[in-house]
Amino acid sequence: GKGLAVFTSGGDSQGMNAAVRAVVRMSIYLGCKVFFIREGYQGMVDGDENFVEASWSSVSCIIHRGGTVIGSARSMDFKEREGRKKAAKNLVKRGISNLCVIGGDGSLTGANLFKEEWSDLLQELLKEGEITSDECINYQQLHIVGMVGSIDNDFCGTDMTIGTDTALHRIIESIDAIVSTAYSHQRTFIMEVMGRHCGYLAIVSALAAGADYVFCPECPPPIDWPERLCKKLKQERLTGQRLNIIIMAEGAVDRNGDPITAEKVREVVVDKLQQDTRITVLGHVQRGGNPSAFDRVLGCRMGAEAVMALVEATPETEACVVTLDGNQAVRLPLMECVRRTKAVAQAMADKNWDLAVQLRGKG
Ligand code: ADP
């Protein structure tokens, strides 16, 4: 059978464990030898005890756990060619030439680069006497399948990334908790949620919680937003509402691309309306806790499909990413999705807001 390894990289998200579990069990079911690599790319570069051959039971009791039990890391070493060469040697020495990477667009970009360099790296390792010519021939193809683990839902090509649904649950629970105290004291609450480049969490949680106003990175508000915001808040109070909720993505900006911070919004509300206004930054709470049913099942489906993609790969097969389209798990070319994701970021950097929203919608 094929030698296969799974690892998690970049920021953690809930449901990654379900994906790791599915990769391990599907691999064993199909007769492959499967490893996990601890601590993402850094573990791949460092080798040794970071490579663990997995058994059916080594992924027992993890489907319900948040984060990633095999660890994740940001690796400077893997960004250097020397580091990737070490990683290649560690893989070949263990008979691994199939990788399942679970991470964000950075991790997937790194994986694609690794695949492109692979045969050159092997040739160099052969010349240096680090691997044998048999190893060089047996493992000449590196196959890569990605899965997107991210709470932000910031990746083009998939309806949902692994972890987004759970993060929304955390946010909604927190808003509900805030609403009861805000109601008692007739307060206005500004809740900052994650999303540096993507307003998905902010917009969906604002809809689900019935918030009064939302700020997000892709679609900055009109320049007279302070007046509009205050008019809306005042209107709500006049119709008898005892509280106001404003949701902000951490990456919220105005039309000039300058940050709109929670503090700035608070100043506006206090200055113009004299409302008792408090800020809550949810922070890592959103990454925490057990994954929702949706993220567990999403992780399982993505993981199983990823192994199928590796098993069916031919020498011509490009690196792919397993995504959700409608209710279907599909395989898309990895670099195409990464390019589209980067195009959204570029449109935002260029302050081309219409294009950013349009590209995001297509994603
Ligand atoms: P995410 O995957 O969540 O976007 P990062 O962008 O931090 O997170 O990427 C995680 C890791 O992936 C980095 O620490 C690095 O080791 C690797 N990586 C990211 N981009 C590249 C790249 N262009 N080339 C090589 N490795 C990369």
Side-chain angles (χ1 to χ4, degrees):
K2 296 191 171 194
L4 196 151
V6 57
F7 61 100
T8 51
S9 174
D12 68 324
S13 69
Q14 308 97 328
M16 282 183 160
N17 292 323
V20 169
R21 171 181 176 271
V23 169
V24 166
R25 293 198 167 167
M26 193 64 169
S27 300
I28 293 171
Y29 179 73
L30 295 174
C32 306
K33 194 170 177 159
V34 57
F35 292 80
F36 15 81
I37 305 171
R38 297 189 183 280
E39 318 306 337
Y41 287 121
Q42 194 57 47
M44 196 188 292
V45 174
D46 293 342
D48 297 331
E49 72 281 3
N50 292 299
F51 283 74
V52 182
E53 192 176 342
S55 67
W56 193 269
S57 63
S58 51
V59 288
S60 296
C61 296
I62 66 167
I63 194 169
H64 64 283
R65 291 174 65 181
T68 165
V69 297
I70 60 174
S72 184
R74 301 221 144 86
S75 169
M76 287 316 288
D77 289 340
F78 192 81
K79 287 200 163 178
E80 307 293 331
R81 199 168 188 280
E82 240 357 80
R84 293 194 291 276
K85 196 155 104 183
K86 274 194 201 154
K89 182 185 160 192
N90 287 330
L91 293 171
V92 168
K93 286 293 171 194
R94 290 166 180 82
I96 302 165
S97 55
N98 296 278
L99 292 179
C100 282
V101 45
I102 311 171
D105 63 341
S107 304
L108 301 186
T109 306
N112 191 68
L113 178 64
F114 196 36
K115 179 178 164 69
E116 281 172 357
E117 285 178 348
W118 181 258
S119 60
D120 290 347
L121 294 174
L122 258 50
Q123 285 302 327
E124 282 173 39
L125 287 166
L126 176 64
K127 252 186 232 148
E128 292 160 15
E130 298 278 8
I131 62 172
T132 66
S133 53
D134 276 357
E135 285 168 334
C136 194
I137 292 163
N138 287 341
Y139 305 113
Q140 60 181 309
Q141 293 292 332
L142 177 68
H143 293 293
I144 292 203
V145 176
M147 287 170 263
V148 194
S150 162
I151 67 163
D152 293 349
N153 206 21
D154 54 357
F155 193 78
C156 290
T158 191
D159 294 345
M160 288 291 264
T161 56
I162 300 169
T164 300
D165 183 66
T166 309
L168 277 174
H169 278 282
R170 290 296 98 77
I171 295 169
I172 294 302
E173 283 162 5
S174 306
I175 298 176
D176 289 350
I178 292 280
V179 161
S180 52
T181 171
Y183 186 93
S184 309
H185 295 276
Q186 301 196 39
R187 280 185 180 134
T188 292
F189 268 89
I190 302 168
M191 314 274 294
E192 187 190 290
V193 303
M194 283 189 175
R196 262 194 291 266
H197 307 288
C198 183
Y200 185 88
L201 289 177
I203 289 173
V204 176
S205 61
L207 286 171
D212 297 303
Y213 218 86
V214 60
F215 293 92
C216 71
E218 305 92 327
C219 40
I223 36 173
D224 62 342
W225 67 263
E227 290 74 29
R228 287 171 186 250
L229 168 68
C230 291
K231 191 173 161 209
K232 169 79 168 124
L233 299 185
K234 214 161 115 188
Q235 218 170 23
E236 294 296 335
R237 293 290 174 113
L238 286 174
T239 56
Q241 192 173 296
R242 288 175 58 88
L243 72 149
N244 292 110
I245 301 286
I246 301 163
I247 312 281
M248 326 214 21
E250 61 180 331
V253 289
D254 63 20
R255 300 222 139 234
N256 299 318
D258 295 326
I260 302 179
T261 61
E263 191 48 50
K264 167 98 185 130
V265 174
R266 199 184 76 88
E267 273 169 27
V268 167
V269 177
V270 170
D271 279 0
K272 292 189 193 284
L273 299 177
Q274 291 79 46
Q275 288 182 358
D276 186 357
T277 306
R278 307 296 169 99
I279 296 171
T280 299
V281 179
L282 287 185
H284 283 80
V285 162
Q286 297 161 89
R287 284 186 190 277
N290 299 342
S292 65
F294 181 90
D295 277 328
R296 295 181 199 196
V297 175
L298 184 64
C300 289
R301 292 178 67 190
M302 302 285 107
E305 182 67 17
V307 176
M308 293 305 295
L310 287 174
V311 168
E312 289 167 17
T314 65
E316 291 75 42
T317 306
E318 271 184 85
C320 74
V321 55
V322 176
T323 70
L324 189 71
D325 181 358
N327 196 25
Q328 214 55 46
V330 297
R331 302 170 196 173
L332 297 177
L334 188 149
M335 272 332 277
E336 155 110 33
C337 295
V338 168
R339 261 195 298 275
R340 279 162 62 193
T341 302
K342 291 196 166 141
V344 178
Q346 190 56 51
M348 285 172 11
D350 296 341
K351 301 181 197 114
N352 192 343
W353 311 114
D354 293 343
L355 181 64
V357 170
Q358 194 194 342
L359 291 172
R360 181 73 85 205
K362 276 192 195 151

